[in-house]
Structures are given as C-alpha cells and as structure tokens.
C-alpha cells in the first residue's frame, strides 16, 4: 500500500471549507498572537451574520475545543429559532443553571481582534458579541466574588457598564 499524501489547506481554503460545510466557523487566537487582549487567548466565529443573520461571537479564556463546544451550543439555539438574551445575564444554556452573558461589542473598536470576520464579511456590515462565562460558583468577571485569575483569563471587551441580573 502506498503512502498517503497530505496537502495542507491554506487559511483561506480552511475558511471557505467551513463556510461551505456549516455556514460558519471558529478561529482560535493564541495569547502570543499579538492582538490577544491582555494576554488571554480567544476564539471567534465568522459567518454567523451572513448565514444566520446573527452577530459574530468572541469567547475569551477557554481552550479552542472548549470555546468551540460553547459556540456549537449557541449556534444550535439559533438554528432552533431560539433568541438568546443580550446584555444581561441569562440561565438555561449552561449546566447547573449557571449564568452567561452575550455582551454587545462595537465592531469598529474590536475589528483588529477578528480579522477573519472582516475578511469574510467584505463590505457587508456585521455585529459582534462577547460570550461571557462564569466561574463554577456562577460569578462573572465583574462580580466581586469573581477570582482574579478568571478576570485575567476573560477580559471584558466593552467599556459599557457591566450588566446586572
């Protein structure tokens, strides 16, 4: 049996493949990749706006596979016709009734963090949200009880006042 040949895809080919297969995709950004906010890694979607009419999402402080799992969960809600609340904590998405928040971000302020969205969207407008997840006790980064390590791992990318429950 002969050796299998492998030709790696270019970044643009991977992006197009994800759009063709699912209508959206996710790109991880390592902390060392220059634009990572405050040293935290993050993952962001592309294609949600064009395929589903939903804002793109960025998740900070999780490993790419963990972030992708959360993003898959969110997209499944959208595909089922469920609107998730924005800019205020909600329960029901995460296990154990832990709260989560989708914060509205200003794309013009955060575009440098999400170049793949800019590339995929071209001249079409797009929106951006940050999915904020809690610590195991349910504390969010702006809560007094939130551990400092979570605050560093998950910087809040908006200057708006933190939401209240």
């Amino acid at each position: 049996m002969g050796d299998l040949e492998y030709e790696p895809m270019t970044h643009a080919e991977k992006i197009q493949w994800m759009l063709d297969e699912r209508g959206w995709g996710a790109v991880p950004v390592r902390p060392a990749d220059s634009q990572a906010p405050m040293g935290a890694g993050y993952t962001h979607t592309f294609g949600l706006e064009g395929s589903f009419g939903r804002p793109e999402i960025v998740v900070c402080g999780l490993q790419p596979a963990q972030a992708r799992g959360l993003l898959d969960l969110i997209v499944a809600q959208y595909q089922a016709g469920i609107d998730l609340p924005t800019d205020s904590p909600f329960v029901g998405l995460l296990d154990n009734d832990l709260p989560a928040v989708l914060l509205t971000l200003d794309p013009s302020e955060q575009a440098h963090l999400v170049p793949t969205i800019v590339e995929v969207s071209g001249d079409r407008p797009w929106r951006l949200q940050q999915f904020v997840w809690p610590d195991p006790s349910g504390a969010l980064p702006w809560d007094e009880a939130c551990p400092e390590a979570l605050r560093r791992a998950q910087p809040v990318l908006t200057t708006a006042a933190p939401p209240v429950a």
Side-chain angles (χ1 to χ4, degrees):
M1 194 186 294
D3 291 336
L4 295 177
E5 289 189 34
Y6 172 72
E7 287 189 40
M9 288 190 217
T10 66
H11 178 71
E13 289 171 332
K14 288 177 192 174
I15 299 304
Q16 190 58 55
W17 179 81
M18 286 186 254
L19 288 170
D20 291 345
E21 288 294 311
R22 299 183 72 183
W24 72 284
V27 175
V29 180
R30 296 183 310 242
D33 289 348
S34 70
Q35 298 300 324
M38 301 189 314
Y42 59 97
T43 300
H44 69 82
T45 63
F46 60 89
L48 295 183
E49 191 76 58
S51 294
F52 305 109
R54 303 294 182 147
E56 303 299 342
I57 301 170
V58 62
V59 179
C60 296
L62 294 175
Q63 293 296 320
Q66 295 169 310
R68 179 59 190 250
L70 279 172
L71 294 168
D72 282 337
L73 189 60
I74 293 167
V75 172
Q77 302 302 302
Y78 293 156
Q79 289 172 323
I82 298 169
D83 288 325
L84 297 174
T86 58
D87 298 318
S88 63
F90 64 91
V91 296
L93 183 71
L94 303 177
D95 290 341
N96 301 319
D97 285 332
L98 289 173
V101 182
L102 280 166
L103 294 175
T104 301
L105 302 178
D106 182 342
S108 65
E109 292 178 9
Q110 305 303 338
H112 68 284
L113 296 175
V114 292
T116 303
I117 297 172
V118 175
E119 175 187 328
V120 168
S121 298
D123 292 338
R124 294 183 315 271
W126 50 276
R127 298 166 292 161
L128 186 62
Q129 295 178 328
Q130 179 181 4
F131 181 82
V132 180
W133 47 275
D135 78 348
S137 74
L140 295 162
W142 47 81
D143 294 335
E144 194 173 302
C146 183
E148 185 60 33
L150 178 61
R151 288 188 182 124
R152 282 193 310 275
Q154 185 177 207
V156 176
L157 302 176
T158 181
T159 56
V164 290

